Amino acid sequence: MNPSFVAQAQPSDTLPGPAYWFIFRGVKLLVRREKKAARIPCLNGLAELGITAVRQQYLGYLDSDRPIHCYSVEVDDQTQAPEGMAFHGLRRLFGLLDEACFWLAGRAVQIMDWDRTHQFCGRCGNHTETHPQERAKLCPNCGHTSYPRLSPAMIVRVTRQGENGREILLARAHNFRPGLYSVLAGFVEPGETLEGCVRREICEEVGLIVKNIRYFGSQPWPFPNSLMIAFTAEYDSGEIKLGEAEMADARWFTPETLPQIPPPTSISRRLINDFLDQVHR
Ligand SMILES: [Zn+2]
């Protein structure tokens, strides 16, 4: 079983021993390279690698037999990867890092990037200070407090009863790799409910009306700072009509005619697998 992660802004103890260090140059992560895998360096300190931090943040700990502390670190652009290690973009590490470490790296990159971009107050321009207990930046001049920002995005699986049985709506955007289709997704706008966002995005992207919108689950998506909130919905009315320039195609598929779909562990794939389970039940 994977150890669970406990998020904390400050360590509650000073247990010595190796910690996981998520070291970023820009948004690229330093990993130990193995044949078909990558690992996060587990170190007693950065000095072990001869690397100097520009800034570092405590993330929390893995609740294992012995708690393992986790840190994110920002290094400067000139920092070279030590022998046997390399800096890679997170997307490239999907499937190479074990799953728990991959999502932890997603958390680490967001905290590191937030820390880097909130050194000054967004209201008065004064230097900020790190909040002593919370994950927050305080402005000593005007009192403004800023927290790490998340961008909520909804993702939705639309199904219907077609002439050939149950069908799922899948679409592809021009920037998808060739042949790949997925469920629809879009960012929530200020003032909008999640259900309102589901209806609007489906209407804008494919011109359909849906009903029976139900919550399915959620997944952090660190590209760069989304939280994907997944729904299922039932087709109500309308014909598919592509509405946005980025959409290349959208169609109804039966389980037998499914195109190439996203990789396992993404919530889009979980939505599609759940559809297949229901049809084959
Ligand atoms: Zn201020």
Side-chain angles (χ1 to χ4, degrees):
M1 202 183 85
N2 281 329
S4 58
F5 180 73
V6 180
Q8 275 184 351
Q10 300 294 334
S12 55
D13 63 60
T14 49
L15 274 181
Y20 281 120
W21 292 80
F22 295 84
I23 302 164
F24 293 94
R25 187 180 68 194
V27 290
K28 292 193 167 178
L29 177 64
L30 185 67
V31 290
R32 288 191 197 282
R33 284 312 312 260
E34 291 164 3
K35 261 186 188 166
K36 284 184 175 166
R39 281 188 299 119
I40 302 299
C42 193
L43 312 165
N44 284 308
L46 273 188
E48 247 180 72
L49 296 179
I51 279 180
T52 313
V54 176
R55 270 178 283 276
Q56 76 180 51
Q57 304 85 23
Y58 180 70
L59 300 173
Y61 62 91
L62 283 164
D63 197 7
S64 195
D65 300 339
R66 181 185 67 76
I68 304 171
H69 295 300
C70 299
Y71 294 89
S72 57
V73 173
E74 182 189 341
V75 295
D76 73 31
D77 293 346
Q78 309 307 317
T79 303
Q80 297 299 312
E83 183 78 26
M85 304 180 83
F87 285 100
H88 286 308
L90 272 196
R91 280 179 191 270
R92 195 170 154 197
L93 291 169
F94 195 81
L96 291 178
L97 284 173
D98 73 60
E99 205 181 326
C101 273
F102 178 81
W103 295 113
L104 208 43
R107 186 189 287 261
V109 70
Q110 291 179 76
I111 300 295
M112 181 277 301
D113 194 51
W114 166 75
D115 190 35
R116 173 167 58 192
T117 54
H118 289 75
Q119 292 293 309
F120 296 92
C121 174
R123 185 191 278 161
C124 76
N126 207 77
H127 251 295
T128 55
E129 292 173 355
T130 298
H131 193 290
Q133 287 98 31
E134 287 181 39
R135 184 78 66 199
K137 295 280 180 195
L138 281 174
C139 175
N141 184 48
C142 75
H144 182 63
T145 308
S146 50
Y147 299 91
R149 191 187 63 186
L150 283 179
S151 301
M154 75 80 209
I155 183 161
V156 59
R157 179 193 78 204
V158 183
T159 52
R160 73 172 184 184
Q161 189 60 34
E163 286 173 6
N164 302 312
R166 295 296 295 169
E167 295 177 324
I168 182 170
L169 178 70
L170 297 174
R172 54 175 281 105
H174 289 292
N175 64 0
F176 283 15
R177 67 168 187 265
L180 180 73
Y181 281 72
S182 188
V183 291
L184 296 175
F187 285 104
V188 182
E189 293 185 350
E192 193 172 45
T193 63
L194 294 169
E195 298 84 346
C197 178
V198 168
R199 284 192 203 90
R200 176 181 57 77
E201 284 285 349
I202 294 171
C203 188
E204 284 177 4
E205 291 183 359
V206 293
L208 299 179
I209 307 295
V210 295
K211 60 186 178 185
N212 299 338
I213 298 168
R214 297 270 182 273
Y215 176 71
F216 177 82
S218 64
Q219 183 175 56
W221 195 246
F223 307 106
N225 54 9
S226 289
L227 174 65
M228 304 298 289
I229 304 142
F231 293 88
T232 61
E234 184 71 14
Y235 167 83
D236 182 86
S237 57
E239 292 295 323
I240 293 177
K241 184 169 168 288
L242 298 183
E244 289 185 355
E246 72 256 34
M247 296 297 289
D249 190 23
R251 309 176 196 195
W252 296 102
F253 293 92
T254 64
E256 292 72 33
T257 61
L258 275 193
Q260 206 186 121
I261 52 177
T265 76
S266 64
I267 200 156
S268 48
R269 178 61 172 267
R270 275 171 49 204
L271 278 164
I272 296 169
N273 285 353
D274 180 68
F275 163 74
L276 298 176
D277 287 347
Q278 284 184 13
V279 171
H280 293 134
R281 196 168 287 158

